[in-house]
């Protein structure tokens, strides 16, 4: 009977991780998509405004910072895509572990949930994947 209690605790813990990750990803994605609607240029402008208000950039420094941020954008996009790939890999590990204790009906529901979360993280060719430097 102790193993059942332990298994239940592990199941609750793993499902909590998945639910927390799903909620966090949804909040992050919504914020990210809101910033992305106006394209990558708006992300640079948002970062510039934040940096300028914190550091008190002069107009020439402002333009130099714009160039630096524009130049950094491809590298940031690459890092964001790598981060998403790693999250999907971790989710796959959790999925494998969860399949050991979920019944067939729960497994089907979990598979649907997993696919939805994976779609949210996998870059879509029609949707640019850039990242914001600072939260708004």
């Amino acid at each position: 009977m102790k193993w059942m209690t332990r298994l239940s605790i592990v199941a609750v813990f793993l499902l909590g991780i998945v639910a927390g990750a799903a909620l966090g990803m949804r909040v992050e994605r919504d914020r990210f998509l809101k910033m992305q609607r106006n394209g990558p240029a708006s992300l640079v402008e948002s970062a510039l405004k934040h940096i300028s208000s914190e550091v008190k950039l002069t107009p020439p420094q402002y333009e130099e910072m714009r160039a630096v941020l524009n130049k950094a954008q491809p590298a940031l996009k690459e890092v964001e895509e790598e981060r998403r790939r790693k999250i999907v890999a971790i989710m796959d590990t959790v999925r494998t572990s969860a399949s050991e204790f979920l019944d067939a009906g729960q497994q089907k529901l979990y598979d649907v949930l997993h696919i939805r979360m994976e779609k949210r993280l996998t870059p879509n060719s029609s949707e640019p994947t850039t990242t914001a430097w600072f939260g708004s």
Side-chain angles (χ1 to χ4, degrees):
M1 200 59 152
K2 286 184 181 181
W3 67 270
M4 189 70 142
T5 303
R6 290 180 181 154
L7 185 61
S8 297
I9 291 170
V10 169
V12 168
F13 180 73
L14 286 174
L15 291 175
I17 289 172
V18 170
L23 180 61
M25 287 184 295
R26 183 174 189 144
V27 168
E28 177 186 342
R29 180 177 167 84
D30 290 347
R31 188 179 127 254
F32 178 71
L33 290 175
K34 182 180 176 183
M35 291 181 74
Q36 207 176 33
R37 283 186 192 117
N38 295 328
S42 70
L43 296 173
V44 169
E45 289 304 315
S46 176
L48 272 170
K49 288 177 185 176
H50 184 82
I51 292 168
S52 185
S53 70
E54 292 287 327
V55 182
K56 312 296 184 223
L57 297 174
T58 65
Q61 290 172 324
Y62 190 88
E63 292 307 315
E64 287 184 48
M65 183 61 73
R66 179 192 315 271
V68 168
L69 292 175
N70 281 330
K71 188 176 179 180
Q73 194 147 6
L76 289 168
K77 179 180 178 182
E78 184 180 320
V79 168
E80 174 66 13
E81 289 171 357
E82 178 63 24
R83 181 190 69 85
R84 289 173 180 236
R85 282 191 293 273
K86 287 180 179 181
I87 290 172
V88 169
I90 292 168
M91 287 170 43
D92 287 339
T93 302
V94 170
R95 182 183 193 182
T96 301
S97 297
S99 69
E100 295 173 8
F101 58 85
L102 296 176
D103 65 33
Q106 291 172 320
Q107 186 63 49
K108 286 180 184 177
L109 293 172
Y110 184 79
D111 288 344
V112 170
L113 173 64
H114 180 83
I115 290 167
R116 277 196 331 247
M117 290 187 301
E118 191 171 13
K119 282 182 181 177
R120 288 182 183 148
L121 284 169
T122 304
N124 186 346
S125 60
S126 65
E127 182 178 291
T129 54
T130 55
T131 186
W133 290 279
F134 298 97
S136 297

